[in-house]
Amino acid sequence: MSRPPGANAELALLLELSGTPKPGNVDRQREYADLTFEQFLAGAVGARAGLDDAADGAAVGDAFETAVAGMARQDGGNTQFGALLLLTPLVRAAATDRLTPDGAAAVVDETTVDDAAGFYRAFDHVDVFVDEPPDSMDDLDVRRGSDAVPALRERGLTLADVMAASAPADGVAAEWTAGFERTFAAAASLLDADGPLSERVPTVFLDLLAAEPDSLIAKRHGESVAAEVTERAAELQGADPEAVTEWADELVADGINPGTTADVTAAALFVALERGLAV
């Protein structure tokens, strides 16, 4: 019996977490002092209600806020904000038989100012690392959360507009504006690969990291560090697993977290599950 989209989205978050090694990210073998494996498990389970809402026809922004509020009911803070931002429209697309790049793009195009307000309200529930906005956009700083909604409404910005403005510097927003291109390509890789899923997930993660600098690393540590991480990931493609494991430990020790890459991996797992990935 097939699982409903909300269940597959929850499972995708859990499968992303269980894959190891994913250099720099929390997984079943490594974690940060202030962000643990168990907190990620709780975040995935807590997000389920919002993911189900997205499948059942709730507004995308409202469903996302509900998912984030549920995710935040653990002691670690932000565990899967970016992944949920990718999964929410994909779940809606799947529930309406449109889980294709064009179908997901249509879901994005259908978003409204109310959806953007829901996105902003999600920041009331959890702290998310974001760049300082330009002075001209200070009234739309997402860290203001619901306090920024009046300015958002005055400007008439939809959630698609908000993502388009963020896309040049944010890999998750870029997926929204590009038909979830990397997500669908990674899903195809997961489906085409052989071997246990526990090996396919870290391979796809490393391939994504080798193909494009991680935007979260760039924001936190600078573009040069992000480029260095991508270069090293490319060098380790197909390498001895022990070398990848050693590098994973080094990145965690240095606090370098390719979180955007993990978000895309989770979204790709959802698409693959919806397309028949057996678990």
Side-chain angles (χ1 to χ4, degrees), residues 9 39-40 71-72 80 114 126 130 143 147 166 175 177-179 219 221 233 239 276:
Q39 287 162 344
F40 269 82
M71 175 209 74
Q80 291 120 331
D114 285 340
V126 66
V130 296
R143 292 170 297 186
D147 289 341
S166 302
E175 283 293 278
T177 63
K219 290 176 185 179
H221 303 280

Side-chain angles (χ1 to χ4, degrees), residues 35-80:
L35 200 56
T36 67
F37 178 73
E38 290 81 6
Q39 287 162 344
F40 269 82
L41 292 175
V45 173
R48 174 66 183 275
L51 296 168
D52 284 340
D53 284 351
D56 292 341
V60 168
D62 288 345
F64 174 68
E65 183 193 0
T66 298
V68 170
M71 175 209 74
R73 287 196 291 268
Q74 36 76 29
D75 294 333
N78 177 22
T79 51
Q80 291 120 331

Side-chain angles (χ1 to χ4, degrees), residues 3-9 90 94-95 99 268-277:
R3 287 178 291 269
N8 271 337
L90 291 172
L99 191 58
L269 277 160
F270 169 72
V271 173
L273 288 166
E274 286 287 317
R275 292 184 168 181
L277 180 66

Side-chain angles (χ1 to χ4, degrees), residues 30-131:
R30 56 191 52 80
E31 57 189 20
Y32 289 89
D34 59 348
L35 200 56
T36 67
F37 178 73
E38 290 81 6
Q39 287 162 344
F40 269 82
L41 292 175
V45 173
R48 174 66 183 275
L51 296 168
D52 284 340
D53 284 351
D56 292 341
V60 168
D62 288 345
F64 174 68
E65 183 193 0
T66 298
V68 170
M71 175 209 74
R73 287 196 291 268
Q74 36 76 29
D75 294 333
N78 177 22
T79 51
Q80 291 120 331
F81 189 97
L84 294 175
L85 188 53
L86 292 174
L87 285 169
T88 303
L90 291 172
V91 168
R92 170 58 57 78
T96 52
D97 296 322
R98 295 184 289 174
L99 191 58
T100 65
D102 287 344
V107 172
V108 169
D109 289 341
E110 292 163 3
T111 60
T112 66
V113 176
D114 285 340
D115 289 318
F119 169 73
Y120 270 74
R121 289 194 302 269
F123 286 83
D124 292 342
H125 302 289
V126 66
D127 290 331
V128 180
F129 186 89
V130 296
D131 285 333

